[in-house]
Amino acid sequence: MADEQASARVDSWIWSVRLTKTRSNASDACRAGHVRVNGARVKPAHTIRVGDEVRLRHEGRERVVVVSRVIIKRVGPPVAAECYVDKSPPPPPRGEAVAVAVRDRGAGRPTKRERRSIEKLFRRPTS
């Protein structure tokens, strides 16, 4: 089912265990310095082995995982979860969504009343 090897590329492994949606996202994260293996920044072609600690900063949070199985083909979520030990800090609690002033497209300029409510929302001093 899954091709097991002694080592694999870090970008391929990150994609295979579903930490990123695409392999190109994993490669981009490596090139941007968002991936560390055993504390060192790595390039996409860096090889990983069982026991390596991989830190990935992605979508506003840091994932810390220890490689328990090396795979190179993308697998389903239950199998992917068996390929690493997740030591990530818990995600921040979902707070209430920040209120954003939304206007229909093409609704024109805001009225004085709408402008005041927008200024109140962003706590800007009114003139």
Side-chain angles (χ1 to χ4, degrees), residues 50-120:
V50 174
D52 285 347
E53 180 188 71
V54 178
R55 290 178 174 265
L56 169 70
R57 243 180 34 236
H58 184 63
E59 295 179 352
R61 84 179 262 223
E62 185 174 32
R63 300 290 306 266
V64 180
V65 296
V66 176
V67 179
S68 61
R69 195 165 109 194
V70 177
I71 60 173
I72 57 169
K73 298 245 181 190
R74 191 164 172 98
V75 292
V79 178
E82 297 171 358
C83 296
Y84 60 87
V85 178
D86 195 358
K87 295 188 173 185
S88 304
R94 284 191 167 183
E96 293 182 14
V98 177
V100 178
V102 178
R103 293 185 48 79
D104 293 331
R105 187 175 179 140
R109 295 177 57 183
T111 64
K112 192 172 195 176
R113 182 179 193 179
E114 291 170 335
R115 192 184 75 240
R116 285 183 178 155
S117 67
I118 291 170
E119 289 171 349
K120 183 178 179 185

